[in-house]
Amino acid sequence: MLFSDLKLAPAILRALETEGYTTPTPIQGEAIPVLLEGRDLMGCAQTGTGKTAAFCLPLLHHLAATAGKQHGKAPKALVLAPTRELAQQIADSLSAYGRHTGLYHTVVYGGVNQRPQVAKLRQGVDILVATPGRLLDLHQQGVVNLGEVRHLVLDEADRMLDMGFLPDIRRILKLMPTQRQTLLFSATISKEIKALAETLLQNPVEITVAPQVQTTKLIQQSLYFVDKEQKRDLLKHLLETEGIARALVFVKTKYGADRVAKALTANGVPAQAIHGDKSQGARQQALNQFKAHRTRVLVATDVAARGIDVDDLTHVFNFDLPMEPETYVHRIGRTGRAGASGVAISFCDADERNLLRAVQKQIDQEVPLVTDHPYALNLSPVTLVQTFESSKGKNGFSRKPKSSSYGRKPYGPKPGGNGSYGGPRKRYARSDA
Ligand code: AMP
């Protein structure tokens, strides 16, 4: 299937041509036709699947039909997103895909001066992208009218609930007409998400795209056992010896992010940290410099990194393993986008072995262990197969292990195999040896 088969407005197809998109991703192929029919949608999909275009293109299509003929300045479509970065990224996508439609959009989020946002709203917009808090603020000030919204999108709804936005979302819903098309996207479908969907969506089409771990076959994963105190040295060593031009490094805490960025910069590797304590301006600047290849390393916490979309990112480091195993999949999905290859390197110290176990269970795969590096820590491997001790049931009888990696081929190309990733050939230890 091609985009040209999708009956999108010619102005949108032209913009897609400029973007170099020819083939819809699976979620786009499934969602766009039903959204063009005006159906509600419940989409289970993560970043990296092309979900942004999956909802932006039909939105633009619906509104383009009436562009220029609309009266009033109130937005006709609202996209809610949990973070400033994601909101900005959606607005950037609307700029790209909607460049020939004559439609106006703007983005509002907290943490920055509201004056420019207010000025844009006063001029009138067709599509408004917003984080919930700032939107309510502006509504209370009488700056925005949601009474004409006919299309509503909730993006990363699970994240919005995690961040405590549910009461704000409920308040926002009361401000808009009930006659509308509603789309809800979430990476995970919990009981809370289901409950929210039931109150919001009418006879929705449900679309689930395969978890990213299956769509990221091109990501080469590797694991390094290392002492907590030597992680920074190992990171610097790998950046130097592996010829890594640019990397996104995930750390657990804001403080840790600052420490890693400072240490790298002090050692001649230009790095910047991005986390919730930094002002919006500082975060955007760090991101812009990274995108422009002026900063080699961006060190980020998970919340700050949500919504960061950097084209041609080749390397992701898990400096600290994530507390939630699903986060691992989100993190490594930042590389290997849209069919490109990528490398995901994870560090694991002695205290993180349980987190590693959870990650491996999540992806149903053992991450190949690299042992020949100067900071190698001698830990016993973490295997997918449960040991006799840990597989004992309550009454002392052993249970069959739930899954085993024996005989299963690891995802991703063989390390050093086809040369597509460059870098020296490494010795990989079998972690189930
Ligand atoms: P998303 O999941 O919306 O964050 O999109 C992931 C990345 O894929 C973004 O960098 C998009 O620009 C890119 N992308 C989205 N759809 C397509 C497509 N059909 N062809 C090529 N790249 C795409």
Side-chain angles (χ1 to χ4, degrees), residues 293-341:
H293 293 260
R294 283 197 287 276
T295 306
R296 201 167 141 204
V297 179
L298 192 64
V299 190
T301 56
D302 287 301
V303 172
R306 256 283 165 113
I308 291 182
D309 183 32
V310 180
D311 284 342
D312 65 33
L313 179 66
T314 52
H315 287 76
V316 166
F317 281 87
N318 290 302
F319 186 89
D320 297 313
L321 284 174
M323 303 304 284
E324 301 293 335
E326 304 87 45
T327 305
Y328 177 84
V329 180
H330 288 302
R331 287 180 176 184
I332 73 167
R334 298 316 168 90
T335 183
R337 288 268 171 120
S341 57

Short mmCIF file of all heavy atoms in Angstrom, two decimals, residues 293-341:
data_model
loop_
_atom_site.label_atom_id
_atom_site.label_comp_id
_atom_site.label_asym_id
_atom_site.label_seq_id
_atom_site.Cartn_x
_atom_site.Cartn_y
_atom_site.Cartn_z
N HIS A 293 23.89 18.37 15.79
CA HIS A 293 25.21 17.71 15.91
C HIS A 293 26.25 18.60 16.61
O HIS A 293 27.44 18.38 16.44
CB HIS A 293 25.75 17.28 14.53
CG HIS A 293 24.94 16.19 13.91
ND1 HIS A 293 25.33 14.87 13.93
CD2 HIS A 293 23.75 16.22 13.26
CE1 HIS A 293 24.41 14.14 13.31
NE2 HIS A 293 23.44 14.94 12.90
N ARG A 294 25.81 19.61 17.37
CA ARG A 294 26.79 20.41 18.10
C ARG A 294 27.11 19.78 19.45
O ARG A 294 28.17 19.96 20.00
CB ARG A 294 26.28 21.85 18.28
CG ARG A 294 26.42 22.68 17.00
CD ARG A 294 26.30 24.16 17.30
NE ARG A 294 24.93 24.53 17.60
CZ ARG A 294 24.02 24.82 16.66
NH1 ARG A 294 24.36 24.81 15.39
NH2 ARG A 294 22.79 25.13 16.99
N THR A 295 26.15 19.04 19.99
CA THR A 295 26.40 18.28 21.22
C THR A 295 26.47 16.81 20.82
O THR A 295 25.61 16.34 20.07
CB THR A 295 25.22 18.44 22.21
OG1 THR A 295 25.01 19.82 22.42
CG2 THR A 295 25.51 17.77 23.52
N ARG A 296 27.51 16.12 21.36
CA ARG A 296 27.65 14.73 20.93
C ARG A 296 26.77 13.80 21.75
O ARG A 296 26.28 12.78 21.25
CB ARG A 296 29.13 14.35 21.08
CG ARG A 296 29.53 13.19 20.24
CD ARG A 296 31.03 13.08 20.20
NE ARG A 296 31.43 11.69 20.25
CZ ARG A 296 32.59 11.26 20.68
NH1 ARG A 296 33.49 12.13 21.12
NH2 ARG A 296 32.87 9.99 20.69
N VAL A 297 26.60 14.15 23.00
CA VAL A 297 25.86 13.25 23.89
C VAL A 297 24.74 14.02 24.61
O VAL A 297 24.98 15.08 25.17
CB VAL A 297 26.80 12.62 24.94
CG1 VAL A 297 26.04 11.69 25.87
CG2 VAL A 297 27.93 11.88 24.25
N LEU A 298 23.56 13.45 24.57
CA LEU A 298 22.44 14.02 25.33
C LEU A 298 22.13 13.03 26.44
O LEU A 298 21.88 11.85 26.17
CB LEU A 298 21.24 14.21 24.41
CG LEU A 298 20.09 15.03 24.95
CD1 LEU A 298 20.52 16.48 25.20
CD2 LEU A 298 18.92 15.04 23.97
N VAL A 299 22.20 13.52 27.68
CA VAL A 299 21.96 12.64 28.83
C VAL A 299 20.57 12.98 29.35
O VAL A 299 20.29 14.14 29.67
CB VAL A 299 23.01 12.87 29.93
CG1 VAL A 299 22.89 11.80 31.00
CG2 VAL A 299 24.41 12.89 29.35
N ALA A 300 19.70 11.99 29.45
CA ALA A 300 18.31 12.30 29.74
C ALA A 300 17.69 11.35 30.75
O ALA A 300 18.08 10.18 30.85
CB ALA A 300 17.49 12.24 28.45
N THR A 301 16.72 11.86 31.50
CA THR A 301 15.88 10.99 32.31
C THR A 301 14.71 10.56 31.44
O THR A 301 14.44 11.19 30.42
CB THR A 301 15.34 11.74 33.55
OG1 THR A 301 14.65 12.90 33.09
CG2 THR A 301 16.46 12.15 34.49
N ASP A 302 14.00 9.53 31.85
CA ASP A 302 12.93 9.00 30.99
C ASP A 302 11.83 10.01 30.73
O ASP A 302 11.37 10.16 29.61
CB ASP A 302 12.34 7.73 31.59
CG ASP A 302 13.30 6.57 31.46
OD1 ASP A 302 13.67 6.25 30.32
OD2 ASP A 302 13.71 6.02 32.49
N VAL A 303 11.41 10.71 31.78
CA VAL A 303 10.30 11.64 31.60
C VAL A 303 10.69 12.75 30.63
O VAL A 303 9.95 13.09 29.71
CB VAL A 303 9.83 12.22 32.95
CG1 VAL A 303 8.82 13.34 32.73
CG2 VAL A 303 9.21 11.14 33.81
N ALA A 304 11.92 13.29 30.82
CA ALA A 304 12.35 14.37 29.93
C ALA A 304 12.52 13.89 28.50
O ALA A 304 12.31 14.64 27.56
CB ALA A 304 13.66 14.97 30.44
N ALA A 305 12.89 12.62 28.36
CA ALA A 305 13.18 12.11 27.01
C ALA A 305 11.94 11.71 26.24
O ALA A 305 11.99 11.55 25.04
CB ALA A 305 14.11 10.91 27.11
N ARG A 306 10.82 11.55 26.96
CA ARG A 306 9.58 11.20 26.27
C ARG A 306 9.28 12.26 25.22
O ARG A 306 9.27 13.44 25.50
CB ARG A 306 8.43 11.16 27.27
CG ARG A 306 7.99 9.77 27.67
CD ARG A 306 7.16 9.15 26.63
NE ARG A 306 6.99 7.73 26.77
CZ ARG A 306 5.82 7.16 27.05
NH1 ARG A 306 4.79 7.87 27.34
NH2 ARG A 306 5.71 5.86 27.03
N GLY A 307 9.05 11.85 24.04
CA GLY A 307 8.71 12.82 23.01
C GLY A 307 9.91 13.32 22.23
O GLY A 307 9.75 13.97 21.22
N ILE A 308 11.11 12.98 22.71
CA ILE A 308 12.28 13.39 21.92
C ILE A 308 12.32 12.53 20.67
O ILE A 308 12.28 11.32 20.74
CB ILE A 308 13.59 13.18 22.71
CG1 ILE A 308 13.67 14.16 23.86
CG2 ILE A 308 14.79 13.34 21.80
CD1 ILE A 308 14.95 14.03 24.65
N ASP A 309 12.39 13.17 19.55
CA ASP A 309 12.43 12.42 18.30
C ASP A 309 13.60 12.95 17.49
O ASP A 309 13.58 14.07 17.00
CB ASP A 309 11.12 12.63 17.56
CG ASP A 309 11.08 11.82 16.28
OD1 ASP A 309 11.68 10.74 16.26
OD2 ASP A 309 10.46 12.28 15.31
N VAL A 310 14.65 12.17 17.43
CA VAL A 310 15.84 12.62 16.70
C VAL A 310 16.05 11.67 15.53
O VAL A 310 16.22 10.47 15.72
CB VAL A 310 17.08 12.59 17.63
CG1 VAL A 310 18.31 13.05 16.87
CG2 VAL A 310 16.85 13.45 18.85
N ASP A 311 15.98 12.21 14.34
CA ASP A 311 16.20 11.38 13.16
C ASP A 311 17.65 10.89 13.17
O ASP A 311 18.51 11.51 13.75
CB ASP A 311 15.97 12.20 11.88
CG ASP A 311 14.48 12.42 11.62
OD1 ASP A 311 13.68 11.67 12.21
OD2 ASP A 311 14.14 13.32 10.86
N ASP A 312 17.91 9.83 12.54
CA ASP A 312 19.23 9.21 12.37
C ASP A 312 20.05 9.10 13.67
O ASP A 312 21.25 9.29 13.69
CB ASP A 312 20.05 9.89 11.24
CG ASP A 312 20.41 11.35 11.51
OD1 ASP A 312 20.63 11.71 12.67
OD2 ASP A 312 20.48 12.12 10.54
N LEU A 313 19.36 8.81 14.77
CA LEU A 313 20.09 8.53 16.02
C LEU A 313 20.57 7.08 15.96
O LEU A 313 19.78 6.17 15.76
CB LEU A 313 19.15 8.73 17.21
CG LEU A 313 19.76 8.46 18.58
CD1 LEU A 313 20.85 9.47 18.91
CD2 LEU A 313 18.70 8.50 19.67
N THR A 314 21.89 6.89 16.12
CA THR A 314 22.41 5.53 15.94
C THR A 314 22.60 4.78 17.25
O THR A 314 22.53 3.56 17.29
CB THR A 314 23.77 5.56 15.21
OG1 THR A 314 24.62 6.48 15.91
CG2 THR A 314 23.61 6.00 13.77
N HIS A 315 22.90 5.52 18.36
CA HIS A 315 23.25 4.83 19.60
C HIS A 315 22.42 5.30 20.79
O HIS A 315 22.29 6.50 21.03
CB HIS A 315 24.72 5.05 19.93
CG HIS A 315 25.65 4.29 19.05
ND1 HIS A 315 25.91 4.66 17.76
CD2 HIS A 315 26.35 3.14 19.28
CE1 HIS A 315 26.75 3.78 17.22
NE2 HIS A 315 27.03 2.85 18.11
N VAL A 316 21.91 4.33 21.53
CA VAL A 316 21.23 4.63 22.80
C VAL A 316 21.97 3.85 23.89
O VAL A 316 22.27 2.67 23.73
CB VAL A 316 19.75 4.18 22.74
CG1 VAL A 316 19.14 4.16 24.13
CG2 VAL A 316 18.94 5.10 21.84
N PHE A 317 22.27 4.54 24.99
CA PHE A 317 22.89 3.87 26.14
C PHE A 317 21.90 3.80 27.29
O PHE A 317 21.26 4.80 27.62
CB PHE A 317 24.10 4.68 26.63
CG PHE A 317 25.35 4.49 25.82
CD1 PHE A 317 25.58 5.27 24.69
CD2 PHE A 317 26.29 3.53 26.17
CE1 PHE A 317 26.73 5.11 23.93
CE2 PHE A 317 27.44 3.36 25.41
CZ PHE A 317 27.67 4.15 24.29
N ASN A 318 21.80 2.65 27.90
CA ASN A 318 21.10 2.54 29.18
C ASN A 318 22.17 2.60 30.26
O ASN A 318 22.71 1.58 30.66
CB ASN A 318 20.33 1.22 29.26
CG ASN A 318 19.16 1.21 28.32
OD1 ASN A 318 18.29 2.07 28.41
ND2 ASN A 318 19.13 0.26 27.41
N PHE A 319 22.51 3.83 30.65
CA PHE A 319 23.56 4.01 31.67
C PHE A 319 23.07 3.38 32.97
O PHE A 319 23.82 2.72 33.68
CB PHE A 319 23.78 5.52 31.86
CG PHE A 319 24.91 5.89 32.74
CD1 PHE A 319 26.18 6.05 32.23
CD2 PHE A 319 24.71 6.10 34.10
CE1 PHE A 319 27.25 6.40 33.06
CE2 PHE A 319 25.75 6.45 34.93
CZ PHE A 319 27.03 6.59 34.41
N ASP A 320 21.81 3.60 33.28
CA ASP A 320 21.14 2.87 34.37
C ASP A 320 20.03 2.07 33.73
O ASP A 320 19.34 2.58 32.85
CB ASP A 320 20.52 3.85 35.37
CG ASP A 320 21.55 4.72 36.06
OD1 ASP A 320 22.58 4.18 36.51
OD2 ASP A 320 21.34 5.95 36.12
N LEU A 321 19.81 0.89 34.21
CA LEU A 321 18.69 0.11 33.67
C LEU A 321 17.39 0.71 34.19
O LEU A 321 17.34 1.25 35.29
CB LEU A 321 18.81 -1.35 34.09
CG LEU A 321 19.85 -2.15 33.31
CD1 LEU A 321 19.99 -3.55 33.88
CD2 LEU A 321 19.50 -2.22 31.82
N PRO A 322 16.32 0.66 33.39
CA PRO A 322 15.07 1.28 33.82
C PRO A 322 14.38 0.50 34.93
O PRO A 322 14.51 -0.71 35.02
CB PRO A 322 14.23 1.27 32.55
CG PRO A 322 14.78 0.15 31.74
CD PRO A 322 16.23 0.04 32.06
N MET A 323 13.62 1.22 35.75
CA MET A 323 12.87 0.59 36.84
C MET A 323 11.71 -0.23 36.26
O MET A 323 11.33 -1.25 36.81
CB MET A 323 12.30 1.64 37.80
CG MET A 323 13.34 2.55 38.42
SD MET A 323 14.62 1.63 39.28
CE MET A 323 13.74 1.17 40.76
N GLU A 324 11.12 0.26 35.16
CA GLU A 324 10.01 -0.46 34.51
C GLU A 324 10.56 -1.14 33.27
O GLU A 324 11.11 -0.45 32.40
CB GLU A 324 8.92 0.53 34.06
CG GLU A 324 8.31 1.35 35.17
CD GLU A 324 7.52 0.48 36.12
OE1 GLU A 324 7.06 -0.59 35.68
OE2 GLU A 324 7.38 0.87 37.29
N PRO A 325 10.39 -2.46 33.14
CA PRO A 325 10.98 -3.12 31.96
C PRO A 325 10.47 -2.62 30.63
O PRO A 325 11.20 -2.59 29.65
CB PRO A 325 10.62 -4.60 32.18
CG PRO A 325 9.59 -4.64 33.25
CD PRO A 325 9.74 -3.39 34.06
N GLU A 326 9.19 -2.15 30.57
CA GLU A 326 8.67 -1.66 29.27
C GLU A 326 9.46 -0.44 28.81
O GLU A 326 9.56 -0.17 27.61
CB GLU A 326 7.19 -1.23 29.36
CG GLU A 326 6.23 -2.26 29.87
CD GLU A 326 6.13 -2.23 31.37
OE1 GLU A 326 6.05 -1.14 31.96
OE2 GLU A 326 6.17 -3.31 31.99
N THR A 327 9.99 0.30 29.80
CA THR A 327 10.74 1.51 29.45
C THR A 327 11.96 1.17 28.58
O THR A 327 12.37 1.96 27.74
CB THR A 327 11.17 2.24 30.74
OG1 THR A 327 10.00 2.47 31.50
CG2 THR A 327 11.86 3.54 30.46
N TYR A 328 12.51 -0.02 28.81
CA TYR A 328 13.68 -0.44 28.01
C TYR A 328 13.32 -0.42 26.53
O TYR A 328 14.07 0.07 25.69
CB TYR A 328 14.10 -1.84 28.45
CG TYR A 328 15.25 -2.43 27.64
CD1 TYR A 328 16.57 -2.14 27.96
CD2 TYR A 328 14.99 -3.27 26.56
CE1 TYR A 328 17.62 -2.68 27.22
CE2 TYR A 328 16.04 -3.82 25.82
CZ TYR A 328 17.34 -3.53 26.15
OH TYR A 328 18.37 -4.05 25.42
N VAL A 329 12.13 -0.92 26.24
CA VAL A 329 11.68 -1.00 24.85
C VAL A 329 11.50 0.41 24.27
O VAL A 329 11.90 0.70 23.15
CB VAL A 329 10.37 -1.81 24.75
CG1 VAL A 329 9.90 -1.90 23.32
CG2 VAL A 329 10.57 -3.20 25.32
N HIS A 330 10.91 1.30 25.08
CA HIS A 330 10.75 2.69 24.62
C HIS A 330 12.12 3.32 24.35
O HIS A 330 12.32 4.02 23.38
CB HIS A 330 10.09 3.56 25.71
CG HIS A 330 8.64 3.27 25.90
ND1 HIS A 330 7.74 3.38 24.88
CD2 HIS A 330 7.95 2.88 26.99
CE1 HIS A 330 6.54 3.07 25.35
NE2 HIS A 330 6.65 2.75 26.61
N ARG A 331 13.04 3.08 25.30
CA ARG A 331 14.36 3.72 25.17
C ARG A 331 15.07 3.27 23.91
O ARG A 331 15.53 4.09 23.12
CB ARG A 331 15.22 3.36 26.38
CG ARG A 331 14.84 4.05 27.66
CD ARG A 331 15.80 3.57 28.73
NE ARG A 331 15.62 4.22 30.01
CZ ARG A 331 16.41 3.99 31.04
NH1 ARG A 331 17.42 3.14 30.94
NH2 ARG A 331 16.19 4.60 32.19
N ILE A 332 15.17 1.96 23.73
CA ILE A 332 15.98 1.50 22.60
C ILE A 332 15.28 1.81 21.28
O ILE A 332 15.93 1.90 20.25
CB ILE A 332 16.40 0.01 22.70
CG1 ILE A 332 15.24 -0.94 22.43
CG2 ILE A 332 17.06 -0.30 24.03
CD1 ILE A 332 15.70 -2.37 22.22
N GLY A 333 13.96 2.02 21.34
CA GLY A 333 13.21 2.36 20.13
C GLY A 333 13.54 3.76 19.61
O GLY A 333 13.09 4.14 18.54
N ARG A 334 14.31 4.52 20.36
CA ARG A 334 14.71 5.85 19.89
C ARG A 334 15.69 5.75 18.73
O ARG A 334 15.92 6.68 17.99
CB ARG A 334 15.38 6.67 21.00
CG ARG A 334 14.50 6.94 22.15
CD ARG A 334 13.15 7.34 21.59
NE ARG A 334 12.16 7.36 22.63
CZ ARG A 334 11.90 8.43 23.34
NH1 ARG A 334 12.55 9.54 23.15
NH2 ARG A 334 10.97 8.39 24.25
N THR A 335 16.33 4.58 18.66
CA THR A 335 17.22 4.38 17.53
C THR A 335 16.56 3.34 16.62
O THR A 335 15.51 2.81 16.95
CB THR A 335 18.62 3.94 18.02
OG1 THR A 335 19.45 3.82 16.88
CG2 THR A 335 18.60 2.64 18.77
N GLY A 336 17.12 3.10 15.48
CA GLY A 336 16.53 2.11 14.58
C GLY A 336 15.16 2.52 14.09
O GLY A 336 14.31 1.70 13.84
N ARG A 337 14.92 3.85 13.96
CA ARG A 337 13.62 4.35 13.52
C ARG A 337 13.39 4.11 12.04
O ARG A 337 14.33 4.22 11.25
CB ARG A 337 13.56 5.86 13.75
CG ARG A 337 13.44 6.21 15.20
CD ARG A 337 12.02 6.32 15.56
NE ARG A 337 11.86 6.46 16.98
CZ ARG A 337 11.30 7.50 17.54
NH1 ARG A 337 10.88 8.50 16.80
NH2 ARG A 337 11.13 7.54 18.82
N ALA A 338 12.15 3.90 11.73
CA ALA A 338 11.72 3.80 10.33
C ALA A 338 12.67 2.97 9.48
O ALA A 338 13.11 3.38 8.42
CB ALA A 338 11.54 5.21 9.74
N GLY A 339 13.02 1.82 10.02
CA GLY A 339 13.82 0.88 9.24
C GLY A 339 15.32 1.09 9.31
O GLY A 339 16.08 0.30 8.76
N ALA A 340 15.77 2.16 9.98
CA ALA A 340 17.22 2.37 10.07
C ALA A 340 17.81 1.42 11.11
O ALA A 340 17.11 0.91 11.97
CB ALA A 340 17.50 3.81 10.46
N SER A 341 19.13 1.20 11.05
CA SER A 341 19.75 0.32 12.03
C SER A 341 20.14 1.13 13.25
O SER A 341 20.25 2.35 13.20
CB SER A 341 20.97 -0.36 11.43
OG SER A 341 21.87 0.63 10.98
#
